[in-house]
Amino acid sequence: MPKKAEEWKDFSILAINPGSTSTKIGLFENDEQIWEEVVRHPYEEIAACRSMPEQKVMRRAHIERIFRERGEDLASLDAIVGRGGIVQPIDSGTYTINERMYEDLVGSAASLHASALGGLIAREMAASLGIPCYVVDPVVVDELDQSARLAGLPGVERRCVFHALNQKAVARRCAESMGMKYEDARFIVAHMGGGISVGAHRYGRVIDVNDALIGEGPFTPERTGSLPANAIIDLCFSGEYTKEEMITKLSKQGGMQAYLGTNDMRVCERMIKEGDEFAALVLESMGYQVSKEICSLLAVLEGRVDAIILTGGLAYSTRFTASIKQRVATIAPVKVYPGEDELKALAEGALRVLRGQEKALEYNV
C-alpha cells in the first residue's frame, strides 16, 4: 500500500518530561533524537514557587534558554508533547491538550505531581507557535478489567496510577523484537524506579496493575507499597502524624529510604560490597516482593505469558534483576530494558498522530 503524504514528511518534535527536581527535554526528527538536555532545579529555585503550577514559568524559561543557546528556532517545531499529569482516568493513547485537560492539569489533584507541568508548558508554548500539542499515556491510563476494581469494601475502589508511558513503550518494543504486534501479545511488565508498577498487558491493554503511588505493590526505593492494614490504622490514629505527614511517610519516606537512609540503588549496592548484610536483605526483599507481584499476574493472564519485561532505573542493577529472574524465569522469557526512555516514548506517540497512523484522542471526561 502506498504511503500517505504525512508518512513521507519529516516532523520536528519537542518532548518535555518534568520531574520533581529536574526537567528533561529532547528534540526529535521523526523518531530520531537529535539532542537531550536535563535541567537540574536547586531546592531554592523550586521553593521560590508557591505551587506546582507556578513552576511552569520558571521551567519554560529554561527550555527557551536552551533553544537559544543551541541556536535552535522554536518556530521550526511541528509539535510539542509533554508528560501527562494526574487528570481523570482515560484510555491509553495520544491526547490533544484541550481546554478541559488544561483546566484539570492546574487542578488540585494534578498539581500534586510535577508531570502535570509537561502538559501545561506544552500547551502554552504550542499556542504561541500555532502548532499542535499532546500528552501520551499519562499516569492515569485506566484499562482495568472490572473484576480488578473491587477492593473488598463498598465505596473503596482500586485506582489506576502507574508508569503507563514507559510500560506501554517497552511493551511495544519487546513485541516488535519478538516479531509480534503489541495488540497480539500477553506481557507482564515491571517498571522499577522510585516507584514500582507491575502490569498485566493483554492484547494492547493493561488489565491489572498495582497503584504505584501509594498503598499497593512492592516496597520501592522510597515508597512502602502494601502494608498490614491494622498497623496503618494504628499509626493514623496514634495522634503522632497528620494526614499529610502520613501520605509523605508512605509515598516518599518508606521502603529502602526508611530502612537504609538512601533511595539510591548504587549506594545500597556499595553498602552490600562493604559487607552490610542488612542492605543485602533489603535489596533481596524488594526483589522478592516484585517477584510476588509478577507471579500474581500469572493468574490474571490465565497462565499464558509471552514475556516478562523488567524496565526502569533499577533494571540497571544486575544484582537486583538477577534476584527477580531466579524466581520468575520458569514462567516466561525475561527481557530487560533498563532505564525509562520516556522522551522517546512521548515523541513516538506524537509522531504516530502526525503521520496519520493514529487519531489524536479528545479529553472529554
Side-chain angles (χ1 to χ4, degrees):
M1 181 181 294
K3 287 188 176 182
K4 300 177 183 177
E6 293 85 353
E7 293 184 74
W8 289 106
K9 181 181 176 182
D10 287 330
F11 292 99
S12 181
I13 303 166
L14 171 63
I16 306 171
N17 185 10
S20 56
T21 60
S22 67
T23 302
K24 297 179 182 178
I25 66 170
L27 181 66
F28 290 80
E29 190 77 20
N30 297 327
D31 56 359
E32 180 182 350
Q33 183 170 291
I34 307 303
W35 51 259
E36 176 181 342
E37 291 268 4
V38 181
V39 180
R40 307 289 180 187
H41 303 293
Y43 171 79
E44 296 76 14
E45 188 174 46
I46 296 293
C49 303
R50 291 174 296 176
S51 66
M52 193 70 72
E54 285 190 11
Q55 293 182 28
K56 69 179 186 294
V57 175
M58 174 267 290
R59 296 194 191 222
R60 177 178 174 178
H62 280 296
I63 295 170
E64 292 172 341
R65 170 185 58 78
I66 289 168
F67 264 73
R68 288 194 302 271
E69 292 175 352
R70 283 184 167 271
E72 302 278 6
D73 185 3
L74 285 167
S76 66
L77 294 173
D78 294 293
I80 302 178
V81 57
R83 181 79 184 272
I86 305 176
V87 291
Q88 297 299 314
I90 54 178
D91 280 342
S92 174
T94 299
Y95 285 78
T96 299
I97 308 173
N98 58 18
E99 188 62 31
R100 180 67 182 274
M101 179 178 285
Y102 185 86
E103 291 173 359
D104 281 1
L105 285 170
V106 297
S108 58
S111 65
L112 295 175
H113 197 279
S115 58
L117 294 166
L120 294 174
I121 296 170
R123 163 83 181 216
E124 294 184 1
M125 289 184 66
S128 68
L129 297 167
I131 58 176
C133 57
Y134 309 106
V135 299
V136 180
D137 287 337
V139 294
V140 291
V141 165
D142 186 343
E143 302 168 331
L144 295 186
D145 272 5
Q146 287 304 309
S147 55
R149 295 189 186 279
L150 298 188
L153 185 66
V156 178
E157 269 197 1
R158 295 184 65 226
R159 67 174 188 171
C160 198
V161 179
F162 74 110
H163 306 88
L165 179 64
N166 191 50
Q167 282 215 22
K168 290 271 186 176
V170 297
R172 287 179 183 276
R173 290 172 199 159
C174 183
E176 184 178 358
S177 74
M178 296 174 67
M180 308 173 67
K181 292 179 63 177
Y182 172 53
E183 291 75 15
D184 295 331
R186 301 165 75 94
F187 293 142
I188 297 174
V189 182
H191 174 106
M192 307 176 300
I196 294 176
S197 60
V198 185
H201 295 237
R202 185 182 66 192
Y203 308 141
R205 297 178 66 82
V206 183
I207 60 172
D208 201 350
V209 64
N210 63 291
D211 179 342
L213 185 60
I214 186 170
E216 283 190 337
F219 75 77
T220 84
E222 55 190 31
R223 298 171 191 170
T224 62
S226 302
L227 291 171
N230 60 333
I232 291 297
I233 292 170
D234 288 344
L235 277 177
C236 288
F237 285 89
S238 67
E240 295 182 40
Y241 307 101
T242 65
K243 178 182 177 180
E244 290 73 21
E245 287 170 339
M246 281 300 301
I247 291 173
T248 298
K249 193 175 186 67
L250 299 182
S251 63
K252 297 179 181 179
Q253 299 173 353
M256 184 190 294
Q257 177 67 43
Y259 287 125
L260 303 179
T262 181
N263 62 2
D264 191 327
M265 176 63 84
R266 294 167 298 183
V267 174
C268 176
E269 290 188 318
R270 187 162 62 244
M271 294 168 71
I272 294 170
K273 287 180 180 178
E274 293 171 354
D276 191 322
E277 294 182 0
F278 183 65
L281 176 62
V282 170
L283 184 146
E284 182 68 15
S285 297
M286 189 162 63
Y288 173 83
Q289 290 199 2
V290 172
S291 302
K292 281 177 62 178
E293 197 74 20
I294 288 171
C295 290
S296 73
L297 296 182
L298 181 63
V300 174
L301 294 175
E302 298 97 9
R304 292 185 288 128
V305 183
D306 294 307
I308 295 166
I309 303 171
L310 306 181
T311 184
L314 298 186
Y316 282 112
S317 169
T318 55
R319 182 179 185 124
F320 185 59
T321 55
S323 74
I324 298 170
K325 286 180 181 179
Q326 70 178 2
R327 294 186 170 94
V328 305
T330 57
I331 297 172
V334 179
K335 312 286 187 177
V336 181
Y337 290 79
E340 328 170 343
D341 204 355
E342 291 175 331
L343 288 175
K344 184 175 177 62
L346 289 170
E348 288 172 344
L351 184 63
R352 289 193 293 271
V353 169
L354 292 170
R355 284 180 166 172
Q357 297 167 340
E358 290 182 12
K359 185 177 179 180
L361 303 175
E362 286 292 321
Y363 179 80
N364 293 314
V365 295

